[in-house]
Amino acid sequence: MTIENFALIMIGFGAIIGVITLIYVLKRAFSRQAGELGGWEMAGARQIITAVAKTAVAEGLRTRIASGFVMLVVASVPFFYLTAEGDGTIKGKVQMFMTYSLGFSGFLLALLSILFACRSLSNEISGRQIFGIVSKPVPRWQILIGKFAGVMILNMLLLTYVGVTTYIGTLALVGGFKSNLHDELITYGSFTPAQAAAAVESLENVRGMGKEGMESPIIAAISNATGLPQQKIGETLLRLPEATRADLRRFDELRRQVLIARATIKPEIPEKQIRAEVEKRLAKMQEDGTLPSHMTERQVREELDKQMFGYFATIAPFDSQGWILKGPPPPKGEELIMSVRYKMHVPQVIPAINHPQTGAKLEEDMVLCIWAIGNPQSAHYYESVEPVPARTVQEMEFPVDAVEADGTIRIEFGNIDPRRVDVVFDVVKDALQVLYVVGSFELNLFMACIAMLVPLASLTAFGVCASTFLSFPVGALLVICLYLISSSMDFVKEAMAVTEDYMPDTVTTDILVRKTVVDSIGWLLSIGDIQVTERLLDGRVVGWTDLWADVWRYLLLKSGATLMIGVLVFRRRELAAIIV
Amino acid sequence: MKVIECIALTKVFQDFWGRDRVRAVDKLDLDINPGEVFGLLGPNGSGKSTTIKMLLGLLYPTSGSARVFGKQPTDTAIKSRIGFMPEESYLYRFLNARETLDYYGRLFKLDRHERRRRTEQLIDMIGLKRAANRPVGTYSKGMARRIGLAQALVNDPDFLILDEPTTGLDPIGTRQIKDVIRILGDRGKTVLLCSHLLADVEDVCDRVAIMYGGKLQKLGTCEELLTQNDETQITFRKNEKLLSRVREAIGQNGGEIISESHPTLRLEELFLRVVGQAQRDQLETSGAESTVGVSAFLGGDHRGVDLVSSLVEAGKKPAPGLAADAAGTAAPAGPKTDVLEKLTAKADDVAKTKPEEPKPSPIPSRQPNKAVLDRLMGGGEDKP
């Protein structure tokens, strides 16, 4: 038996079990004469839902098993604060702390949502408290929504706690670094306390890109704040311990790249047109019979793809390329900086020469180019002409007002290097991005916490739905399994060999079945798209647009549908039924 | 319109594979009229609880139909008129008494003010004022039953369903349940009392149905079912001379004396007196306090004169011995003319008048009656 056949047999086996289970559940649900009648009127629904939710919250806080979980969440954040180390620098510490406090809390809260949601209702059914509720004028959908709301309120309370403690922890880590720096400036740098305080304060106002050595904007900022000459500041900083000096740069990175909310925008790639062009060329090659005999059609297509996307991203000597990027509108009335982050690729080593016209020296592997940002017709148009290093990630800063009111950003790149080199931007692989500050870290953390609620809501809905027909440990284990599968979907895809990389030239039925099964499971089990922790670590904004997309897709559609299924099952369910 | 109308109501429980296994209720025809206190009797497993659960929409009939207030039991619209006390108190262990009643009040969409009023009155009535802030999970069984009663009354129901209401309750609680039933009955409410404690049913029910094996075995009013028309009982003050003359007269006229005994006090009444005395002596209790009376919003007045005290008061007057007082009070008392009812209904009037003396139930008549019930129930194993 081949591996493929084995996989197919297992999938078939799983499908049969699934279908039998479904038939059994449906038979049980619909075999009785009646289900609940009426109860769809909205009058008084709020009061009942509130009452059920309130009791669910009380259950979460007062029963031992549940409150144990709550205590675990409460204790975990301070624990991570105390143990945060990372790579030892201030940036590493903060990032490590945020990763663990948000990541671990997210995981705990997911488990908590599942356990609560599955336990609350099914315990009520097995403990028969439900008799006292259903015999009152309480429509069953209101009980389910009440349970859902109760668990979500608990989640919100805990997330608020996690958000606030994470914020305080971050501030404390930064504060620790600053007070340490303050002391060291006095001890090693013989600053007066006032100068030290001013110097520390000035770190928040460093502008411009981080350059090495004496040109560092950090030195400029400290010099500005203390009134001491830059030379002296440089010498003073050299006397500080190596770790502190590293932390100075790291803190600047932290401030600009982590403790901030930046929108990341990539150029739109006219993918459709490119694909159409590829197909056209492929057809022409087939027509002319010029297809290389040693390549399959798929390989030729890939090759053409590469070429075409390459054209799109390659700027020939003395040529220029414009990109239009769409992002969220920038905040108004703030003097903020936006960065263009790019990585230029040049096919060969370019020797150092003097510019034929200006006579300026052009270093090896530095490309003379023009970057222009903004609408040339408007007042907020910026140009920069200078040689920049190739093959490394560069960040260029511009005032944020170059972004147009509707969030459009025009970027123009001109390749004016006299050595006539091709410049390539691999735009598909993030070689050109615009980052600009759209908000504060506080706001981003808040948004991140809201975004964290979305998957929790999905899990809660799964749990509540499961509890309408499964008893406590069974339902919870099922949903936990679903959660674990959904969070390891990438792994599952690789295990089932259905990722892009694994797809062979000819797609067989077996692969198609596997891919379809894995994709649909992935779709069914997905609980949220926003990778909250990763975004916060990069200081990338969790924007309203993303959030709304998540809320709409997962909270309203998926959780809504899941709850609806739960309501339908629960309405049919014979609550005092016994199986003899 | 009938409150309950069951036509050929049948419930069959199935096994895992969907095969019929247990016929819990079998073609039950049953009507309950408005204002009736109806007793549903039967040994364990006779289908009483199953019937009740079908009437509440917790179980769906296999065949036949049940109507409550003319509608399907699964219709949420009728449920605001129903109060249900299940056979055990299934409460949230983590809520206290006050929160529990408030929660159930919310489920009836009562406003905050009304909820608070009713909660306080009910807690007063069931005597859990001191324990009201303790989680229900720490309560004894009887205390939890009291909460069960209170939650069934929170909406002042038109139709009260009590499933084994007195199990786990002390005699005071039992008495209270009976008082509630009587008062609600007097207010024209309908009560369905399901029990295998025959004395409880006998005391309060207008009509009784006896079930066995899921089928209706006997249905009728208590009087119809219990009166033995071929025997007569006379109770009079002890007088040996008169007694021997009565015996003589019976013998001379060809009559036959079947039994002869002194009336005894019912244990329930004795218990009420002893506890009443203790309460008057103000002994501390962490359990349920003995209160008597029914919440004002249910038609009683919880401020009414304490029955137990009044009983003790009354008992003290004629003679020191409790048994002797009771024996000494000659009154043709039946359960219907209870002191409490008057006391609670018109508290102020009663406060002025001298409390009535306790009236012993006609014990001699009870014994044959019970035998009848037992016979009817096929010698059911349930002890009254």
Side-chain angles (χ1 to χ4, degrees):
Chain A
M1 190 192 300
T2 61
I3 301 269
E4 286 76 20
N5 286 341
F6 180 71
L8 272 187
I9 288 170
M10 292 317 283
I11 287 173
F13 189 60
I16 290 170
I17 292 181
V19 168
I20 290 175
T21 315
L22 193 69
I23 290 174
Y24 181 76
V25 167
L26 289 179
K27 186 171 173 285
R28 281 253 159 250
F30 290 93
S31 64
R32 306 295 171 196
Q33 273 192 344
E36 186 188 39
L37 298 172
W40 292 113
E41 65 279 1
M42 295 300 290
R46 193 182 54 83
Q47 199 177 2
I48 288 177
I49 290 172
T50 319
V52 175
K54 205 176 143 193
T55 309
V57 172
E59 183 184 2
L61 297 177
R62 293 187 198 171
T63 55
R64 214 172 301 156
I65 170 177
S67 54
F69 240 106
V70 171
M71 288 311 294
L72 197 58
V73 175
V74 169
S76 65
V77 182
F79 174 77
F80 291 129
Y81 170 74
L82 293 174
T83 54
E85 195 48 48
D87 59 0
T89 65
I90 177 68
K91 186 181 173 194
K93 274 184 195 170
V94 169
Q95 283 186 325
M96 185 63 76
F97 169 62
M98 289 202 314
T99 314
Y100 280 122
S101 76
L102 293 175
F104 187 72
S105 312
F107 175 69
L108 272 187
L109 285 177
L111 288 188
L112 189 100
S113 305
I114 295 172
L115 290 180
F116 271 10
C118 290
R119 187 172 176 273
S120 191
L121 183 68
S122 55
N123 262 16
E124 233 161 72
I125 295 172
S126 63
R128 302 183 180 183
Q129 285 93 341
I130 199 78
F131 291 3
I133 300 170
V134 172
S135 59
K136 297 188 168 34
V138 181
R140 295 189 187 181
W141 70 267
Q142 292 174 6
I143 301 177
L144 282 198
I145 302 290
K147 293 285 175 200
F148 177 78
V151 178
M152 288 312 290
I153 289 171
L154 209 58
N155 273 333
M156 279 182 220
L157 290 178
L158 288 173
L159 255 184
T160 309
Y161 169 81
V162 169
V164 169
T165 43
T166 303
Y167 180 61
I168 293 174
T170 310
L171 286 194
L173 285 173
V174 169
F177 157 73
K178 282 185 177 170
S179 86
N180 181 43
L181 177 70
H182 179 264
D183 295 350
E184 287 189 348
L185 281 175
I186 296 170
T187 319
Y188 299 100
S190 51
F191 273 35
T192 63
Q195 282 172 330
V200 169
E201 187 60 33
S202 71
L203 293 180
E204 292 293 344
N205 306 317
V206 176
R207 290 276 177 268
M209 275 311 294
K211 286 178 184 145
E212 297 291 315
M214 289 305 291
E215 286 172 54
S216 165
I218 300 173
I219 294 181
I222 297 180
S223 157
N224 263 344
T226 54
L228 298 169
Q230 292 202 9
Q231 189 63 32
K232 179 160 190 315
I233 303 284
E235 283 161 14
T236 309
L237 292 185
L238 277 175
R239 288 204 296 275
L240 293 182
E242 174 58 36
T244 312
R245 263 184 293 143
D247 264 0
L248 262 179
R249 286 195 298 276
R250 292 307 211 148
F251 176 73
D252 197 45
E253 280 173 30
L254 179 72
R255 194 175 64 82
R256 288 157 181 271
Q257 295 167 10
V258 181
L259 301 182
I260 201 85
R262 298 193 296 178
T264 312
I265 312 153
K266 292 182 225 166
E268 287 167 29
I269 299 160
E271 218 164 317
K272 258 192 191 159
Q273 282 122 288
I274 293 179
R275 296 241 180 266
E277 182 63 28
V278 167
E279 291 305 317
K280 213 169 89 186
R281 291 194 182 192
L282 190 69
K284 191 164 175 357
M285 282 166 92
Q286 278 166 337
E287 211 173 277
D288 305 347
T290 50
L291 272 179
S293 54
H294 62 282
M295 288 166 90
T296 62
E297 192 185 307
R298 190 184 153 88
Q299 283 168 323
V300 176
R301 184 177 286 118
E302 268 170 20
E303 201 53 43
L304 283 172
D305 258 9
K306 257 183 226 163
Q307 268 185 28
M308 292 305 296
F309 280 105
Y311 280 138
F312 177 70
T314 306
I315 297 107
F318 296 101
D319 199 353
S320 71
Q321 168 92 47
W323 291 277
I324 291 180
L325 291 80
K326 286 269 184 196
K332 284 203 176 86
E334 287 187 49
E335 284 186 25
L336 291 169
I337 302 286
M338 61 186 258
S339 335
V340 178
R341 181 192 278 183
Y342 61 91
K343 188 177 168 186
M344 266 194 268
H345 185 76
V346 286
Q348 70 274 15
V349 178
I350 25 183
I353 54 159
N354 286 324
H355 196 281
Q357 272 102 53
T358 60
K361 186 159 194 272
L362 290 171
E363 307 260 0
E364 189 182 279
D365 275 357
M366 298 279 276
V367 181
L368 181 66
C369 55
I370 303 178
W371 280 103
I373 308 252
N375 188 346
Q377 266 88 56
S378 81
H380 310 292
Y381 174 75
Y382 304 93
E383 259 186 17
S384 132
V385 185
E386 59 179 337
V388 287
R391 298 193 190 95
T392 52
V393 176
Q394 297 296 312
E395 251 186 62
M396 233 179 349
E397 295 191 328
F398 289 92
V400 82
D401 57 12
V403 183
E404 286 163 46
D406 62 349
T408 306
I409 306 161
R410 290 163 208 274
I411 301 181
E412 185 99 13
F413 173 83
N415 178 1
I416 51 164
D417 197 278
R419 288 161 291 186
R420 306 189 71 83
V421 287
D422 282 334
V423 175
V424 181
F425 292 96
D426 194 349
V427 270
V428 184
K429 288 200 174 151
D430 299 345
L432 180 74
Q433 290 176 325
V434 170
L435 299 155
Y436 60 90
V437 176
V438 286
S440 60
F441 171 63
E442 290 82 355
L443 182 70
N444 212 26
L445 189 62
F446 172 73
M447 297 288 286
C449 287
I450 295 181
M452 280 172 83
L453 275 177
V454 174
L456 295 180
S458 305
L459 290 174
T460 308
F462 284 165
V464 169
C465 179
S467 70
T468 59
F469 59 92
L470 290 173
S471 58
F472 167 56
V474 185
L477 286 178
L478 177 80
V479 183
I480 287 176
C481 277
L482 297 182
Y483 169 59
L484 291 181
I485 294 174
S486 97
S487 41
S488 54
M489 211 54 219
D490 289 342
F491 173 73
V492 173
K493 277 184 183 162
E494 261 183 39
M496 296 296 286
V498 290
T499 52
E500 284 296 317
D501 301 342
Y502 280 102
M503 292 302 275
D505 296 344
T506 44
V507 178
T508 57
T509 328
D510 141 65
I511 295 170
L512 204 67
V513 170
R514 267 188 314 189
K515 190 169 163 52
T516 318
V517 168
V518 173
D519 285 353
S520 27
I521 291 176
W523 180 81
L524 271 178
L525 296 186
S526 58
I527 50 174
D529 282 338
I530 301 179
Q531 302 289 323
V532 174
T533 319
E534 272 114 74
R535 289 214 190 185
L536 277 183
L537 289 189
D538 282 357
R540 274 183 291 149
V541 72
V542 180
W544 286 111
T545 331
D546 302 344
L547 193 60
W548 173 242
D550 243 29
V551 165
W552 165 245
R553 196 173 311 152
Y554 295 103
L555 191 75
L556 298 182
L557 278 185
K558 200 173 236 179
S559 305
T562 313
L563 283 176
M564 199 63 213
I565 292 172
V567 167
L568 290 180
V569 172
F570 194 42
R571 270 171 73 89
R572 310 265 340 166
R573 179 158 177 188
E574 206 173 11
L575 288 169
I578 44 168
I579 294 175
V580 188
Chain B
M1 186 178 58
K2 302 249 192 284
V3 175
I4 293 286
E5 212 175 353
C6 298
I7 302 165
L9 189 65
T10 303
K11 179 70 197 177
V12 181
F13 288 113
Q14 296 175 321
D15 66 6
F16 181 82
W17 304 106
R19 294 175 295 189
D20 291 356
R21 282 295 183 198
V22 176
R23 194 163 279 268
V25 176
D26 194 5
K27 300 203 180 80
L28 179 71
D29 294 315
L30 190 69
D31 287 350
I32 299 180
N33 300 312
E36 202 167 37
V37 177
F38 191 93
L40 196 56
L41 294 175
N44 293 341
S46 57
K48 305 180 301 273
S49 285
T50 305
T51 308
I52 285 185
K53 279 171 189 150
M54 281 193 278
L55 294 178
L56 286 164
L58 294 169
L59 286 175
Y60 308 145
T62 310
S63 67
S65 81
R67 289 281 182 278
V68 181
F69 293 114
K71 290 192 170 171
Q72 295 253 26
T74 43
D75 198 327
T76 45
I78 54 163
K79 294 191 175 154
S80 51
R81 299 174 66 188
I82 299 178
F84 169 53
M85 179 181 181
E87 73 270 27
E88 269 177 57
S89 293
Y90 307 119
L91 302 166
Y92 294 107
R93 299 175 57 82
F94 49 86
L95 294 182
N96 65 35
R98 224 169 242 124
E99 289 167 331
T100 303
L101 293 181
D102 187 71
Y103 173 60
Y104 287 115
R106 278 168 186 265
L107 297 186
F108 283 108
K109 299 168 192 163
L110 301 177
D111 63 51
R112 180 198 297 260
H113 174 74
E114 188 62 23
R115 282 202 312 269
R116 192 166 295 167
R117 190 174 77 90
R118 291 189 182 189
T119 301
E120 290 310 320
Q121 284 187 13
L122 284 168
I123 285 177
D124 248 12
M125 175 186 118
I126 57 175
L128 290 178
K129 201 156 196 178
R130 260 182 247 176
N133 291 325
R134 250 167 59 192
V136 174
T138 65
Y139 282 10
S140 73
K141 189 177 178 197
M143 289 161 80
R145 296 292 288 150
R146 285 159 182 261
I147 299 281
L149 172 68
Q151 64 82 24
L153 295 173
V154 80
N155 59 327
D156 189 11
D158 291 338
F159 176 39
L160 182 64
I161 300 178
L162 302 169
D163 194 358
E164 312 284 3
T166 53
T167 42
L169 276 182
D170 57 23
I172 297 159
T174 308
R175 182 61 168 268
Q176 205 158 29
I177 297 240
K178 289 189 210 169
D179 294 338
V180 166
I181 295 172
R182 275 198 205 101
I183 287 173
L184 290 180
D186 289 352
R187 282 179 58 207
K189 309 264 179 171
T190 314
V191 180
L192 170 58
L193 172 64
C194 167
S195 178
H196 48 227
L197 295 180
L198 308 178
D200 296 350
V201 177
E202 184 194 342
D203 281 356
V204 291
C205 289
D206 302 329
R207 254 186 346 139
V208 172
I210 299 173
M211 288 180 75
Y212 185 79
K215 288 186 175 144
L216 192 64
Q217 304 292 339
K218 194 90 182 174
L219 177 72
T221 62
C222 275
E223 223 177 84
E224 280 166 27
L225 294 178
L226 299 178
T227 313
Q228 290 183 303
N229 289 323
D230 55 349
E231 285 176 25
T232 304
Q233 179 190 343
I234 307 165
T235 308
F236 56 88
R237 275 194 197 284
K238 195 169 177 182
N239 183 333
E240 280 303 333
K241 215 168 130 194
L242 181 59
L243 185 61
S244 62
R245 282 178 65 189
V246 170
R247 282 197 201 109
E248 230 170 79
I250 293 172
Q252 278 167 7
N253 292 297
E256 188 199 346
I257 298 173
I258 297 168
S259 72
E260 197 189 303
S261 62
H262 294 299
T264 52
L265 193 67
R266 288 174 68 190
L267 191 56
E268 182 187 344
E269 277 159 34
L270 177 71
F271 183 91
L272 288 173
R273 287 185 190 201
V274 174
V275 176
Q277 183 62 50
Q279 201 188 27
R280 281 166 54 79
D281 296 344
Q282 300 190 324
L283 299 178
E284 277 286 327
T285 175
S286 61
E289 291 159 65
S290 304
T291 59
V292 178
V294 173
S295 295
F297 78 90
L298 295 171
D301 188 334
H302 69 297
R303 292 172 294 112
V305 177
D306 190 310
L307 167 75
V308 179
S309 326
S310 73
L311 283 172
V312 174
E313 203 79 63
K316 267 186 176 170
K317 254 185 222 161
L322 288 175
D325 318 340
T329 53
K336 291 271 157 64
T337 55
D338 198 282
V339 190
L340 173 85
E341 205 171 331
K342 288 179 188 161
L343 288 175
T344 53
K346 286 177 270 174
D348 297 67
D349 298 356
V350 176
K352 282 174 219 151
T353 57
K354 192 180 85 178
E356 280 183 52
E357 304 198 330
K359 286 150 193 169
S361 301
I363 300 299
S365 77
R366 283 180 51 76
Q367 285 153 351
N369 287 350
K370 213 172 72 197
V372 175
L373 280 171
D374 285 343
R375 263 207 314 280
L376 283 169
M377 288 170 57
E381 53 284 61
D382 304 305
K383 298 270 177 318

